[in-house]
Amino acid sequence: MSGDTQTLADVVGAPSTPASEEYLKHLTTLSLPDLLAEPTVLQTQAHYLTSSLVTLAHTSYPTFLAVHQSNSALNASLSTLSASLDTLVSDSLPALEQCASDWKNRTESVLKERKRARVVLEQHEKLRDLLDIPLLIDTCVRNGYFGEALSLAAHARSLATLFNNNDGSGDKGTQGAQPPPVLLSSILAEVDQSITQMLVSLLATLHEPHRKLPALFKAVNFLRRMNVFGGGADNVSPAIPLHSPVVAKVNGKGADFASGHTHYGASTDDTLQAEQQLALAFLSGREACLVASLDGCGRNIQGVIRELQATPGDGTRSLEERELEDIARYLKKYIDTWREAVYDIVTQYSTIFLERSPLPSNPPPTKEQLRELHTSFHSLLSTYATHSLTKHLVPTLSSALPLLAPPALPSLLTQLTYCASAFGRVGLDFRGLLADIMGKSVVAAVRRDIRAAGSVWAQELLKSYEPEEIEDGKTDMAMSRSKSSSSRSGVKVNRAPSKWLISPSLVASPPLPSGTSTPAHIPPPLLASYPPLAVFTNALLTTLNGLRLLAPLHVKEALVHVIDEEMVNGGQALLRFAEAVSADEKLEEGEIIIVKSCGEVYFNVFAPFVKRALVEGVYGSKVAESDEVLGSQAADMKRNWDTWTSSLSTLPQSQ
């Protein structure tokens, strides 16, 4: 029976729904009469519901139509929504994802910039201090605060070193030093430019005239600290100038600006070589100052010399007294300027390089190296002193002193002797050079004055006859004499000897040498009888009187040579005039006697007296010691004169 048991829902045939099950449970609770009456109740309710539904359909059909339409629209909307969802899932969402990814990539650089800007804003004070370093260094350099400038430069250098140390966290054996940031490189470049300007300023100090020892000592010390002449930089970043004084060596070698130990970490040889180069730079700079100081006076002296060299003719002329005074004044100023400048350079060099303590280096220099350095310093100083002497003073003296008159030379010699004695205190006595320079100058000055006096004598003789008839300029007396003998009728004398060669009161009886001699400092009175010869004597004695103030003993023979040479030249001029007088048939015999008497006085009184005035009057020696000087020329000249006097007897007498 259990297998045939069926539920009420199965018996009734109702669908198994919660409502039907609830209704069936309700039926089970009814009594039989109620249960029997239940179909009638259900039928009544069905008729009621049907009537209500019909009534509702008639009264609410628009609502049903609207619901139908809404249902249709809803179905269409759901289909469209399904298609849209499919499109969203398959197309729009991947595109949105790609756009979001692209947006992230595009905004990443902006975010980085914003992050960097935020970092810059946070480090604003530090960056401002860093950016102020070049400006502060430039200000210090412009105002002469070189120590502070070097300290700031050392700080900038330490930043580069710190960056390299922090950046080298990897394998240092395989990774090189990384370049510093662009900002740091830019700052270091500006610092390098300012330090370079400081270097130029320090080197310019060595070239500035009138700089005293403290300023020069300061400049040299800062040049040492900057290690200008040290070795090349190693391991320097390409962004930093290779030869920058600011970051000489980022690995700790080279200059230490803050501490002042310039060569600490450098080799001893580099240190010594750098000191030698620094000393050479100092001497080069001071040499430029010396040249600038001497330029004014030297230009004035050389201007007069060039003017003389540009003179037409033989290139020489007699200087006026004003020109001689100008040359002497310029020369004195030149010597004083040279003495002061060179003495200052020598003392400054000695104080800076020869009297300072040894340089710090690693390892310290040995005694032998210090001795070698000291020797090289002395060698540089000696070379420079010799250069300044032979380059500036000696050439100027050699070219200017011969232009001066002999009386102007003693004062210059005194000045030069004082100058040489002053340099003797520093071991640079050059008095040994003065003897040769002054000797040559004395000989040149005496020769110039004596030749000028002889030229006046020769011109006086030349004005008295026609030179073309005697071949003027010939030095061979035999040729001149044969010419005059062969063409006696063509010779013309412009001035008779009685009109100018002898005193008018003595024309009738021309005086002749008497054989008596006078002291070397007193001219023979006989010379006054012949005025041109007396003028010649006065000019020569004036020159010899000036020579007495400065008469170097080693040039005595040269001066005797000059005297004898001028005596020979004057005798030749007198002989040519005598031949012209004897060749002129219009002149009386008395004119020839006057010329003959003048010649006897010239050769037997005047020439010996002039030589004695030089040898005995100036040097206090005997004439016999100098008889052999130009003896052959003087003897030839005397023989030519004797030949002419002996030929007078063969000449036809004037009627």
Side-chain angles (χ1 to χ4, degrees), residues 57 68-69 73 92 142 165 180 207 257-258 314 374 432 436 457-458 469 484 502 519 538 609 612 636:
H68 176 71
Q69 293 176 354
S92 298
R142 292 180 181 274
N165 293 336
H207 290 73
F257 298 120
D314 60 358
H374 196 72
D436 184 62
W457 163 256
E469 297 296 337
S484 61
I502 193 172
N538 288 335
F609 167 73
R612 287 194 302 112
D636 291 342

Side-chain angles (χ1 to χ4, degrees), residues 231-280:
D234 297 329
N235 301 327
V236 181
S237 171
I240 305 174
L242 182 61
H243 301 288
S244 171
V246 183
V247 285
K249 292 181 176 67
V250 297
N251 56 3
K253 297 181 180 180
D256 184 358
F257 298 120
S259 62
H261 295 292
T262 309
H263 302 278
Y264 185 78
S267 65
T268 304
D269 293 338
D270 292 341
T271 300
L272 300 181
Q273 185 178 5
E275 277 296 298
Q276 294 173 1
Q277 294 177 355
L278 183 59
L280 185 59

Side-chain angles (χ1 to χ4, degrees), residues 156-478:
R157 170 177 169 267
S158 65
L159 294 177
T161 305
L162 180 62
F163 173 81
N164 283 347
N165 293 336
N166 293 337
D167 191 65
S169 57
D171 188 0
K172 294 184 180 181
T174 59
Q175 294 184 359
Q178 297 296 324
V182 177
L183 177 62
L184 184 56
S185 299
S186 176
I187 292 174
L188 292 176
E190 294 183 17
V191 169
D192 178 74
Q193 182 178 2
S194 298
I195 294 300
T196 303
Q197 184 64 32
M198 173 181 167
L199 174 61
V200 172
S201 177
L202 292 174
L203 292 177
T205 302
L206 302 180
H207 290 73
E208 292 180 3
H210 311 298
R211 280 288 187 173
K212 301 303 180 182
L213 178 60
L216 296 175
F217 194 87
K218 176 182 177 182
V220 171
N221 279 337
F222 278 113
L223 288 175
R224 283 197 185 103
R225 291 181 61 182
M226 295 176 69
N227 196 17
V228 177
F229 303 101
D234 297 329
N235 301 327
V236 181
S237 171
I240 305 174
L242 182 61
H243 301 288
S244 171
V246 183
V247 285
K249 292 181 176 67
V250 297
N251 56 3
K253 297 181 180 180
D256 184 358
F257 298 120
S259 62
H261 295 292
T262 309
H263 302 278
Y264 185 78
S267 65
T268 304
D269 293 338
D270 292 341
T271 300
L272 300 181
Q273 185 178 5
E275 277 296 298
Q276 294 173 1
Q277 294 177 355
L278 183 59
L280 185 59
F282 175 84
L283 292 177
S284 300
R286 302 320 295 167
E287 169 69 10
C289 298
L290 175 62
V291 172
S293 301
L294 298 177
D295 183 63
C297 297
R299 188 167 55 247
N300 293 330
I301 296 173
Q302 295 301 323
V304 177
I305 297 176
R306 286 193 297 268
E307 182 181 352
L308 292 176
Q309 294 175 347
T311 303
D314 60 358
T316 59
R317 66 176 177 86
S318 59
L319 294 174
E320 299 179 359
E321 184 178 357
R322 178 182 57 82
E323 292 177 321
L324 293 176
E325 293 177 354
D326 290 342
I327 293 178
R329 185 173 67 254
Y330 292 142
L331 196 55
K332 289 180 180 179
K333 185 177 180 181
Y334 187 93
I335 295 172
D336 284 338
T337 303
W338 182 89
R339 175 182 59 82
E340 294 175 0
V342 175
Y343 190 83
D344 286 344
I345 293 174
V346 171
T347 54
Q348 291 164 358
Y349 179 90
S350 301
T351 303
I352 295 175
F353 295 99
L354 298 178
E355 299 178 3
R356 66 185 305 274
S357 58
L359 294 173
S361 61
N362 188 19
T366 62
K367 292 183 179 180
E368 182 65 27
Q369 289 174 329
L370 290 177
R371 188 181 304 109
E372 181 181 354
L373 178 63
H374 196 72
T375 302
S376 65
F377 282 159
H378 276 287
S379 177
L380 279 177
L381 181 60
S382 177
T383 302
Y384 172 74
T386 304
H387 165 78
S388 63
L389 185 65
T390 57
K391 177 71 174 179
H392 304 298
L393 186 62
V394 172
T396 302
L397 294 177
S398 300
S399 59
L401 286 178
L403 301 178
L404 300 177
L409 297 178
S411 61
L412 290 173
L413 178 60
T414 302
Q415 184 181 10
L416 288 171
T417 304
Y418 170 77
C419 177
S421 300
F423 278 95
R425 292 193 290 270
V426 292
L428 299 175
D429 193 349
F430 59 90
R431 281 178 290 185
L433 299 175
L434 298 181
D436 184 62
I437 296 175
M438 278 297 173
K440 292 180 179 179
S441 301
V442 167
V443 172
V446 171
R447 178 184 290 112
R448 182 184 65 249
D449 292 348
I450 289 179
R451 285 182 176 179
S455 177
V456 173
W457 163 256
Q459 290 297 327
E460 287 293 328
L461 296 172
L462 188 62
K463 289 190 300 184
S464 302
Y465 66 97
E466 296 292 342
E468 62 274 9
E469 297 296 337
I470 309 297
E471 293 188 9
D472 183 51
K474 299 288 186 180
T475 59
D476 191 342
M477 294 296 101

Side-chain angles (χ1 to χ4, degrees), residues 9 40 57 82 109 119 137 173 191 214 217 237 245 248 305 429 473 476 516 524 566 570 576 618 647:
T40 303
S82 177
S109 60
V119 173
I137 294 178
V191 169
F217 194 87
S237 171
I305 297 176
D429 193 349
D476 191 342
T516 59
E566 196 57 39
R576 287 195 294 267
V618 177
S647 66

